[in-house]
Amino acid sequence: MVTIKDVAAHAGVAFKTVSRVINNDPTVKPKNREKVLKAIEELGYRPNRAAQMTRRKKSGVVGFIADELLRVPYTFDLIKGAQDLAWKHNKELMVLNVNVDKYSVEGAVNHLFEHRAEGIIYAAMYHREVQLPSHFSEVPTVLANCYDSDGHYPSIVPDEQEAARQITASMLSKGYNRIAFLNLNENIIAARLRKKGAEQAFADAKQSPDNLIIESVIINDEDGEHSVTRNRAAELINSFKPDAILCGQDPIAVEVYFVVQALGLQVGKDIGIGSFDDWDIIPSLVQPGLTTMALPHYEMGQWAFNYLLEERTDKAKETAQFTLVSRQSF
Amino acid sequence: MVTIKDVAAHAGVAFKTVSRVINNDPTVKPKNREKVLKAIEELGYRPNRAAQMTRRKKSGVVGFIADELLRVPYTFDLIKGAQDLAWKHNKELMVLNVNVDKYSVEGAVNHLFEHRAEGIIYAAMYHREVQLPSHFSEVPTVLANCYDSDGHYPSIVPDEQEAARQITASMLSKGYNRIAFLNLNENIIAARLRKKGAEQAFADAKQSPDNLIIESVIINDEDGEHSVTRNRAAELINSFKPDAILCGQDPIAVEVYFVVQALGLQVGKDIGIGSFDDWDIIPSLVQPGLTTMALPHYEMGQWAFNYLLEERTDKAKETAQFTLVSRQSF
DNA sequence: TTATAAAAAGACAACGTTGTTTATTTGAGC
DNA sequence: GCTCAAATAAACAACGTTGTCTTTTTATAA
């Protein structure tokens, strides 16, 4: 590989001058700068990052630990949010996936330490509480889509309650006023907060809480669980007779579509459907398109990176807002 | 940060001895090794990768350029396949997303060169021909899920033809013998190959080609296009009267589900449906579950990494096999 | 015990860059 | 043309490692 000295020899200057040119030091005469740039061009020289890092004692590396317990593809946006900023600021985002069976968090942190990461973003694949090993305290760390109970680390999570309030309010404003909420399981924080949000919307609109029924639904990829959700949804429609159904996540909504269709009802006409996530292409795939609250993954990724970039030290507890993506399901 | 010399001082040995311990050099007496390990433990020392790289003149970095023209989430498996192996071999997989509007391939390659990447995996998000800038020739490069017309680079792509043959044959073997194939647009290589595969299956089974109709479908996220697909599917069912429909990708299949249901038919009973991709959770979300040919993304990612790891130099043109994921749709 | 070889540990240079100090060149003012 | 300061360039050390060579220690055989 061609080094800074090769360039210097080729340009007929001291190698330090080449270094100056690379680093935009203004104390290089235009004539020399030109010579150097020409030599760089001709030799195809590229500075060696590893050498720069050792000498500068700065790595420019930011770690991103993706706690991939769930295979939720759209969370990729979390990474993208951070990565776009990293690229922009000429930093390296070192992404490490950890999961229970394969790579431990310890291993990932160790790896990042060896690379002298200047900060770590720890991101969970769904909004939840996490418990981090103590080594994290050695380097600035920020949590995305999760939080720690001690409040020891800054964090950003989706504003679940406000999202639920907003979509419920939107339903109410469109005249739907008897709503069944097929919520996520309440051991998930999002479910508890969304419940509050929905109730708040009803209270704000001075609607009777009797017209809101909230149930937890079991989520699982196994086929058995699907039919449970479906049966429960069908029962609920027949007994409670809602004019709209709010679903805890888009996949639940898809199931409800099938149930509604099987009952001979038309989504968006006979019954409204709303949801949370904006999960990949799913909402635009069903007919009619599913109105859903989009998770602010990209924004959370950006916020987290920015927090580190700005070398903040406060213990921020930030929330990020969902976006209502309106289609035709209500 | 604690360095190798700090450890040496703490352990009372020469710093070279510490280096030996780190690198598992057997010529260190057990007693000294123990002292050093203890010191490492006590000081929390971790070798500085950047320094190792400069001295060793090896980066251990493999670049992964993800040509993300399409937002297809399940292609993440391509990265995972490579990353799992990278981790296992203690290499760094540097993933860079490039796309038309933001980051150029040139920029990504430059970045990788600065990191002295020892190899590059160039992965496309859908099976297609690519044209790479010439700098790639400077470092071992392998293509995943794409190929170059010159055959200059080794590559691995999904075996589209065999996949189509296989799923069609599977349908035929189950008694479906009048099949409508809602294929992808034929300007996509996959569509052309799959057409051949389906025809081959018919020929192999000595079925009349008249019982196979193949049509290209326009794929687009905009809502207008959806209805086009749907209308065409409905027409086809009414006119051609197939007993099974093969779809070019899972999202098309979902649309067909809705059409079939609207026509009062039952998927898996009155009409079979098969598809390609195994796109995230979609196939298990629809009812009944969608039988589909899973793309071998993970395997392609692994193969590509392995090719570089083994320092192969042949111009391999490999294909990877899809996997038939059987559910209840046919 | 001594000679000798093998094993282990140490000393020192090197990797490709940047920080710091020192030397040289340039240009302004007389 | 000369002086002197400012601008520019060069020299050299340093970053934290590993490679190579040299020295010291240990073990073995006579």
Side-chain angles (χ1 to χ4, degrees), chain B residues 14 16-17 20 27-29 32 55 57:
Chain B
K16 181 70 237 226
T17 302
R20 289 203 179 89
T27 75
V28 178
K29 272 203 296 188
N32 275 337
R55 183 65 248 249
K57 306 197 81 177

mmCIF file of all heavy atoms in Angstrom, chain B residues 14 16-17 20 27-29 32 55 57, chain C residues 8-17:
data_model
loop_
_atom_site.group_PDB
_atom_site.id
_atom_site.type_symbol
_atom_site.label_atom_id
_atom_site.label_comp_id
_atom_site.label_asym_id
_atom_site.label_seq_id
_atom_site.Cartn_x
_atom_site.Cartn_y
_atom_site.Cartn_z
ATOM 1 N N ALA B 14 8.627 -7.628 31.009
ATOM 2 C CA ALA B 14 8.828 -6.762 29.851
ATOM 3 C C ALA B 14 7.528 -6.674 29.073
ATOM 4 O O ALA B 14 6.724 -7.618 29.058
ATOM 5 C CB ALA B 14 9.908 -7.325 28.957
ATOM 6 N N LYS B 16 6.971 -6.809 26.099
ATOM 7 C CA LYS B 16 6.885 -7.796 25.015
ATOM 8 C C LYS B 16 6.254 -9.098 25.516
ATOM 9 O O LYS B 16 5.553 -9.794 24.780
ATOM 10 C CB LYS B 16 8.275 -8.059 24.452
ATOM 11 C CG LYS B 16 8.326 -9.045 23.306
ATOM 12 C CD LYS B 16 7.696 -8.479 22.045
ATOM 13 C CE LYS B 16 6.590 -9.349 21.546
ATOM 14 N NZ LYS B 16 6.589 -9.628 20.138
ATOM 15 N N THR B 17 6.507 -9.396 26.751
ATOM 16 C CA THR B 17 5.934 -10.610 27.334
ATOM 17 C C THR B 17 4.404 -10.518 27.380
ATOM 18 O O THR B 17 3.691 -11.480 27.108
ATOM 19 C CB THR B 17 6.494 -10.835 28.752
ATOM 20 O OG1 THR B 17 7.911 -10.924 28.669
ATOM 21 C CG2 THR B 17 5.947 -12.099 29.361
ATOM 22 N N ARG B 20 3.134 -11.211 24.109
ATOM 23 C CA ARG B 20 3.147 -12.654 23.855
ATOM 24 C C ARG B 20 1.926 -13.329 24.468
ATOM 25 O O ARG B 20 1.297 -14.188 23.863
ATOM 26 C CB ARG B 20 4.417 -13.274 24.426
ATOM 27 C CG ARG B 20 5.662 -12.885 23.630
ATOM 28 C CD ARG B 20 6.793 -13.894 23.816
ATOM 29 N NE ARG B 20 7.957 -13.507 23.011
ATOM 30 C CZ ARG B 20 8.926 -12.701 23.459
ATOM 31 N NH1 ARG B 20 8.874 -12.219 24.679
ATOM 32 N NH2 ARG B 20 9.937 -12.397 22.669
ATOM 33 N N THR B 27 5.697 -19.565 24.207
ATOM 34 C CA THR B 27 7.001 -19.453 24.873
ATOM 35 C C THR B 27 6.969 -18.526 26.084
ATOM 36 O O THR B 27 7.910 -17.771 26.319
ATOM 37 C CB THR B 27 8.078 -18.954 23.882
ATOM 38 O OG1 THR B 27 7.880 -17.558 23.654
ATOM 39 C CG2 THR B 27 8.021 -19.682 22.569
ATOM 40 N N VAL B 28 5.886 -18.568 26.810
ATOM 41 C CA VAL B 28 5.826 -17.799 28.056
ATOM 42 C C VAL B 28 5.627 -18.796 29.194
ATOM 43 O O VAL B 28 4.757 -19.656 29.120
ATOM 44 C CB VAL B 28 4.645 -16.797 28.033
ATOM 45 C CG1 VAL B 28 4.569 -16.047 29.364
ATOM 46 C CG2 VAL B 28 4.798 -15.821 26.879
ATOM 47 N N LYS B 29 6.434 -18.659 30.188
ATOM 48 C CA LYS B 29 6.309 -19.595 31.306
ATOM 49 C C LYS B 29 4.970 -19.397 32.013
ATOM 50 O O LYS B 29 4.526 -18.268 32.202
ATOM 51 C CB LYS B 29 7.456 -19.372 32.306
ATOM 52 C CG LYS B 29 8.688 -20.175 31.961
ATOM 53 C CD LYS B 29 9.570 -20.388 33.174
ATOM 54 C CE LYS B 29 10.122 -19.073 33.699
ATOM 55 N NZ LYS B 29 11.135 -19.268 34.758
ATOM 56 N N ASN B 32 4.674 -16.644 34.556
ATOM 57 C CA ASN B 32 4.597 -15.293 34.022
ATOM 58 C C ASN B 32 3.257 -15.028 33.345
ATOM 59 O O ASN B 32 2.672 -13.958 33.482
ATOM 60 C CB ASN B 32 5.730 -15.050 33.013
ATOM 61 C CG ASN B 32 6.996 -14.610 33.708
ATOM 62 O OD1 ASN B 32 6.942 -14.083 34.814
ATOM 63 N ND2 ASN B 32 8.129 -14.848 33.076
ATOM 64 N N ARG B 55 0.569 -2.043 13.171
ATOM 65 C CA ARG B 55 1.803 -2.820 13.251
ATOM 66 C C ARG B 55 1.730 -4.096 12.416
ATOM 67 O O ARG B 55 2.653 -4.449 11.695
ATOM 68 C CB ARG B 55 2.092 -3.146 14.723
ATOM 69 C CG ARG B 55 3.403 -3.896 14.958
ATOM 70 C CD ARG B 55 4.588 -3.030 14.575
ATOM 71 N NE ARG B 55 5.276 -3.556 13.403
ATOM 72 C CZ ARG B 55 6.480 -4.094 13.413
ATOM 73 N NH1 ARG B 55 7.162 -4.134 14.524
ATOM 74 N NH2 ARG B 55 7.034 -4.548 12.325
ATOM 75 N N LYS B 57 0.008 -4.684 9.909
ATOM 76 C CA LYS B 57 -0.275 -4.419 8.499
ATOM 77 C C LYS B 57 -1.415 -5.298 7.971
ATOM 78 O O LYS B 57 -1.422 -5.705 6.814
ATOM 79 C CB LYS B 57 0.971 -4.590 7.628
ATOM 80 C CG LYS B 57 2.146 -3.762 8.135
ATOM 81 C CD LYS B 57 3.206 -3.598 7.077
ATOM 82 C CE LYS B 57 2.844 -2.489 6.099
ATOM 83 N NZ LYS B 57 3.857 -2.242 5.102
ATOM 84 P P DA C 8 9.667 -22.482 27.527
ATOM 85 O OP1 DA C 8 8.928 -23.028 28.684
ATOM 86 O OP2 DA C 8 9.063 -22.473 26.181
ATOM 87 O "O5'" DA C 8 10.132 -21.017 27.888
ATOM 88 C "C5'" DA C 8 10.769 -20.793 29.146
ATOM 89 C "C4'" DA C 8 11.281 -19.388 29.185
ATOM 90 O "O4'" DA C 8 12.244 -19.193 28.143
ATOM 91 C "C3'" DA C 8 10.215 -18.302 28.984
ATOM 92 O "O3'" DA C 8 10.083 -17.666 30.241
ATOM 93 C "C2'" DA C 8 10.782 -17.386 27.898
ATOM 94 C "C1'" DA C 8 12.231 -17.815 27.807
ATOM 95 N N9 DA C 8 12.887 -17.739 26.504
ATOM 96 C C8 DA C 8 12.532 -18.381 25.355
ATOM 97 N N7 DA C 8 13.351 -18.145 24.330
ATOM 98 C C5 DA C 8 14.290 -17.282 24.877
ATOM 99 C C6 DA C 8 15.430 -16.664 24.334
ATOM 100 N N6 DA C 8 15.818 -16.833 23.051
ATOM 101 N N1 DA C 8 16.165 -15.865 25.142
ATOM 102 C C2 DA C 8 15.776 -15.716 26.415
ATOM 103 N N3 DA C 8 14.729 -16.256 27.047
ATOM 104 C C4 DA C 8 14.027 -17.031 26.211
ATOM 105 P P DA C 9 9.148 -16.385 30.401
ATOM 106 O OP1 DA C 9 8.808 -16.316 31.835
ATOM 107 O OP2 DA C 9 8.084 -16.422 29.378
ATOM 108 O "O5'" DA C 9 10.141 -15.194 30.072
ATOM 109 C "C5'" DA C 9 11.212 -14.930 30.960
ATOM 110 C "C4'" DA C 9 12.021 -13.787 30.412
ATOM 111 O "O4'" DA C 9 12.517 -14.141 29.111
ATOM 112 C "C3'" DA C 9 11.228 -12.491 30.235
ATOM 113 O "O3'" DA C 9 11.879 -11.499 30.998
ATOM 114 C "C2'" DA C 9 11.295 -12.195 28.732
ATOM 115 C "C1'" DA C 9 12.518 -12.978 28.302
ATOM 116 N N9 DA C 9 12.521 -13.443 26.921
ATOM 117 C C8 DA C 9 11.581 -14.210 26.293
ATOM 118 N N7 DA C 9 11.867 -14.501 25.036
ATOM 119 C C5 DA C 9 13.082 -13.860 24.829
ATOM 120 C C6 DA C 9 13.924 -13.772 23.701
ATOM 121 N N6 DA C 9 13.646 -14.358 22.533
ATOM 122 N N1 DA C 9 15.067 -13.076 23.830
ATOM 123 C C2 DA C 9 15.340 -12.489 25.007
ATOM 124 N N3 DA C 9 14.623 -12.512 26.140
ATOM 125 C C4 DA C 9 13.499 -13.214 25.978
ATOM 126 P P DG C 10 11.249 -10.051 31.160
ATOM 127 O OP1 DG C 10 11.445 -9.652 32.565
ATOM 128 O OP2 DG C 10 9.906 -10.036 30.540
ATOM 129 O "O5'" DG C 10 12.216 -9.176 30.248
ATOM 130 C "C5'" DG C 10 13.610 -9.217 30.511
ATOM 131 C "C4'" DG C 10 14.363 -8.671 29.320
ATOM 132 O "O4'" DG C 10 14.119 -9.517 28.178
ATOM 133 C "C3'" DG C 10 13.932 -7.255 28.905
ATOM 134 O "O3'" DG C 10 15.037 -6.390 29.032
ATOM 135 C "C2'" DG C 10 13.490 -7.398 27.456
ATOM 136 C "C1'" DG C 10 14.118 -8.704 27.025
ATOM 137 N N9 DG C 10 13.383 -9.399 25.994
ATOM 138 C C8 DG C 10 12.157 -10.011 26.116
ATOM 139 N N7 DG C 10 11.750 -10.588 25.016
ATOM 140 C C5 DG C 10 12.764 -10.320 24.105
ATOM 141 C C6 DG C 10 12.890 -10.692 22.732
ATOM 142 O O6 DG C 10 12.100 -11.331 22.042
ATOM 143 N N1 DG C 10 14.090 -10.222 22.183
ATOM 144 C C2 DG C 10 15.041 -9.511 22.870
ATOM 145 N N2 DG C 10 16.117 -9.153 22.178
ATOM 146 N N3 DG C 10 14.938 -9.170 24.139
ATOM 147 C C4 DG C 10 13.785 -9.603 24.689
ATOM 148 P P DA C 11 14.845 -4.806 28.907
ATOM 149 O OP1 DA C 11 15.362 -4.201 30.131
ATOM 150 O OP2 DA C 11 13.451 -4.549 28.475
ATOM 151 O "O5'" DA C 11 15.802 -4.404 27.686
ATOM 152 C "C5'" DA C 11 16.632 -5.384 27.065
ATOM 153 C "C4'" DA C 11 17.181 -4.827 25.748
ATOM 154 O "O4'" DA C 11 16.601 -5.572 24.643
ATOM 155 C "C3'" DA C 11 16.863 -3.367 25.458
ATOM 156 O "O3'" DA C 11 17.917 -2.843 24.666
ATOM 157 C "C2'" DA C 11 15.549 -3.453 24.710
ATOM 158 C "C1'" DA C 11 15.752 -4.727 23.876
ATOM 159 N N9 DA C 11 14.523 -5.474 23.618
ATOM 160 C C8 DA C 11 13.474 -5.681 24.474
ATOM 161 N N7 DA C 11 12.502 -6.424 23.961
ATOM 162 C C5 DA C 11 12.962 -6.707 22.681
ATOM 163 C C6 DA C 11 12.405 -7.460 21.624
ATOM 164 N N6 DA C 11 11.217 -8.079 21.691
ATOM 165 N N1 DA C 11 13.122 -7.555 20.476
ATOM 166 C C2 DA C 11 14.311 -6.939 20.414
ATOM 167 N N3 DA C 11 14.943 -6.211 21.336
ATOM 168 C C4 DA C 11 14.194 -6.141 22.460
ATOM 169 P P DC C 12 17.940 -1.251 24.288
ATOM 170 O OP1 DC C 12 19.365 -0.866 24.301
ATOM 171 O OP2 DC C 12 16.937 -0.517 25.100
ATOM 172 O "O5'" DC C 12 17.444 -1.268 22.776
ATOM 173 C "C5'" DC C 12 17.975 -2.242 21.873
ATOM 174 C "C4'" DC C 12 17.224 -2.176 20.555
ATOM 175 O "O4'" DC C 12 16.051 -3.024 20.616
ATOM 176 C "C3'" DC C 12 16.722 -0.775 20.199
ATOM 177 O "O3'" DC C 12 16.960 -0.573 18.824
ATOM 178 C "C2'" DC C 12 15.248 -0.849 20.522
ATOM 179 C "C1'" DC C 12 14.968 -2.284 20.080
ATOM 180 N N1 DC C 12 13.699 -2.869 20.582
ATOM 181 C C2 DC C 12 13.031 -3.778 19.752
ATOM 182 O O2 DC C 12 13.514 -4.064 18.656
ATOM 183 N N3 DC C 12 11.858 -4.312 20.178
ATOM 184 C C4 DC C 12 11.367 -3.982 21.369
ATOM 185 N N4 DC C 12 10.208 -4.541 21.735
ATOM 186 C C5 DC C 12 12.031 -3.052 22.228
ATOM 187 C C6 DC C 12 13.183 -2.526 21.798
ATOM 188 P P DA C 13 16.787 0.875 18.172
ATOM 189 O OP1 DA C 13 18.144 1.391 17.938
ATOM 190 O OP2 DA C 13 15.805 1.663 18.955
ATOM 191 O "O5'" DA C 13 16.131 0.505 16.765
ATOM 192 C "C5'" DA C 13 16.579 -0.670 16.073
ATOM 193 C "C4'" DA C 13 15.455 -1.191 15.202
ATOM 194 O "O4'" DA C 13 14.397 -1.734 16.030
ATOM 195 C "C3'" DA C 13 14.807 -0.131 14.317
ATOM 196 O "O3'" DA C 13 14.564 -0.716 13.049
ATOM 197 C "C2'" DA C 13 13.502 0.195 15.040
ATOM 198 C "C1'" DA C 13 13.152 -1.156 15.644
ATOM 199 N N9 DA C 13 12.306 -1.108 16.838
ATOM 200 C C8 DA C 13 12.478 -0.365 17.968
ATOM 201 N N7 DA C 13 11.555 -0.566 18.883
ATOM 202 C C5 DA C 13 10.734 -1.507 18.311
ATOM 203 C C6 DA C 13 9.553 -2.146 18.769
ATOM 204 N N6 DA C 13 9.021 -1.906 19.976
ATOM 205 N N1 DA C 13 8.969 -3.041 17.946
ATOM 206 C C2 DA C 13 9.513 -3.276 16.754
ATOM 207 N N3 DA C 13 10.608 -2.748 16.214
ATOM 208 C C4 DA C 13 11.171 -1.859 17.056
ATOM 209 P P DA C 14 14.253 0.201 11.805
ATOM 210 O OP1 DA C 14 15.039 -0.354 10.676
ATOM 211 O OP2 DA C 14 14.382 1.620 12.201
ATOM 212 O "O5'" DA C 14 12.705 -0.088 11.520
ATOM 213 C "C5'" DA C 14 12.262 -1.423 11.255
ATOM 214 C "C4'" DA C 14 10.775 -1.462 11.408
ATOM 215 O "O4'" DA C 14 10.440 -1.340 12.808
ATOM 216 C "C3'" DA C 14 10.030 -0.315 10.699
ATOM 217 O "O3'" DA C 14 9.297 -0.861 9.633
ATOM 218 C "C2'" DA C 14 9.118 0.283 11.762
ATOM 219 C "C1'" DA C 14 9.194 -0.704 12.904
ATOM 220 N N9 DA C 14 9.114 -0.112 14.239
ATOM 221 C C8 DA C 14 9.910 0.845 14.791
ATOM 222 N N7 DA C 14 9.590 1.164 16.021
ATOM 223 C C5 DA C 14 8.497 0.356 16.297
ATOM 224 C C6 DA C 14 7.690 0.206 17.434
ATOM 225 N N6 DA C 14 7.873 0.908 18.557
ATOM 226 N N1 DA C 14 6.684 -0.692 17.366
ATOM 227 C C2 DA C 14 6.517 -1.385 16.238
ATOM 228 N N3 DA C 14 7.206 -1.348 15.102
ATOM 229 C C4 DA C 14 8.197 -0.442 15.205
ATOM 230 P P DC C 15 8.713 0.096 8.491
ATOM 231 O OP1 DC C 15 9.081 -0.504 7.206
ATOM 232 O OP2 DC C 15 9.076 1.489 8.816
ATOM 233 O "O5'" DC C 15 7.137 0.012 8.680
ATOM 234 C "C5'" DC C 15 6.443 -1.210 8.848
ATOM 235 C "C4'" DC C 15 5.083 -0.891 9.428
ATOM 236 O "O4'" DC C 15 5.234 -0.710 10.848
ATOM 237 C "C3'" DC C 15 4.507 0.434 8.927
ATOM 238 O "O3'" DC C 15 3.650 0.162 7.818
ATOM 239 C "C2'" DC C 15 3.720 0.970 10.116
ATOM 240 C "C1'" DC C 15 4.186 0.110 11.304
ATOM 241 N N1 DC C 15 4.737 0.850 12.471
ATOM 242 C C2 DC C 15 4.178 0.639 13.735
ATOM 243 O O2 DC C 15 3.211 -0.125 13.837
ATOM 244 N N3 DC C 15 4.711 1.302 14.812
ATOM 245 C C4 DC C 15 5.747 2.118 14.644
ATOM 246 N N4 DC C 15 6.242 2.723 15.729
ATOM 247 C C5 DC C 15 6.332 2.331 13.362
ATOM 248 C C6 DC C 15 5.800 1.687 12.313
ATOM 249 P P DG C 16 3.783 1.061 6.479
ATOM 250 O OP1 DG C 16 3.108 0.340 5.392
ATOM 251 O OP2 DG C 16 5.177 1.521 6.332
ATOM 252 O "O5'" DG C 16 2.901 2.333 6.853
ATOM 253 C "C5'" DG C 16 1.505 2.159 7.042
ATOM 254 C "C4'" DG C 16 0.956 3.403 7.694
ATOM 255 O "O4'" DG C 16 1.608 3.573 8.968
ATOM 256 C "C3'" DG C 16 1.214 4.687 6.898
ATOM 257 O "O3'" DG C 16 0.030 5.444 6.888
ATOM 258 C "C2'" DG C 16 2.312 5.370 7.694
ATOM 259 C "C1'" DG C 16 1.984 4.924 9.101
ATOM 260 N N9 DG C 16 3.109 4.977 10.022
ATOM 261 C C8 DG C 16 4.434 4.792 9.747
ATOM 262 N N7 DG C 16 5.199 4.901 10.797
ATOM 263 C C5 DG C 16 4.330 5.180 11.834
ATOM 264 C C6 DG C 16 4.578 5.411 13.209
ATOM 265 O O6 DG C 16 5.656 5.406 13.807
ATOM 266 N N1 DG C 16 3.395 5.649 13.923
ATOM 267 C C2 DG C 16 2.145 5.670 13.348
ATOM 268 N N2 DG C 16 1.128 5.910 14.176
ATOM 269 N N3 DG C 16 1.893 5.464 12.068
ATOM 270 C C4 DG C 16 3.025 5.222 11.375
ATOM 271 P P DT C 17 -0.149 6.696 5.932
ATOM 272 O OP1 DT C 17 -1.348 6.486 5.116
ATOM 273 O OP2 DT C 17 1.156 6.968 5.296
ATOM 274 O "O5'" DT C 17 -0.306 7.872 6.970
ATOM 275 C "C5'" DT C 17 -1.372 8.224 7.667
ATOM 276 C "C4'" DT C 17 -1.049 8.547 9.122
ATOM 277 O "O4'" DT C 17 0.185 7.965 9.566
ATOM 278 C "C3'" DT C 17 -0.851 10.015 9.439
ATOM 279 O "O3'" DT C 17 -2.111 10.642 9.548
ATOM 280 C "C2'" DT C 17 -0.176 9.940 10.811
ATOM 281 C "C1'" DT C 17 0.496 8.545 10.808
ATOM 282 N N1 DT C 17 1.964 8.584 10.970
ATOM 283 C C2 DT C 17 2.480 8.783 12.230
ATOM 284 O O2 DT C 17 1.805 8.955 13.230
ATOM 285 N N3 DT C 17 3.841 8.771 12.295
ATOM 286 C C4 DT C 17 4.724 8.595 11.241
ATOM 287 O O4 DT C 17 5.934 8.593 11.423
ATOM 288 C C5 DT C 17 4.112 8.408 9.956
ATOM 289 C C7 DT C 17 4.964 8.204 8.737
ATOM 290 C C6 DT C 17 2.774 8.409 9.873
#
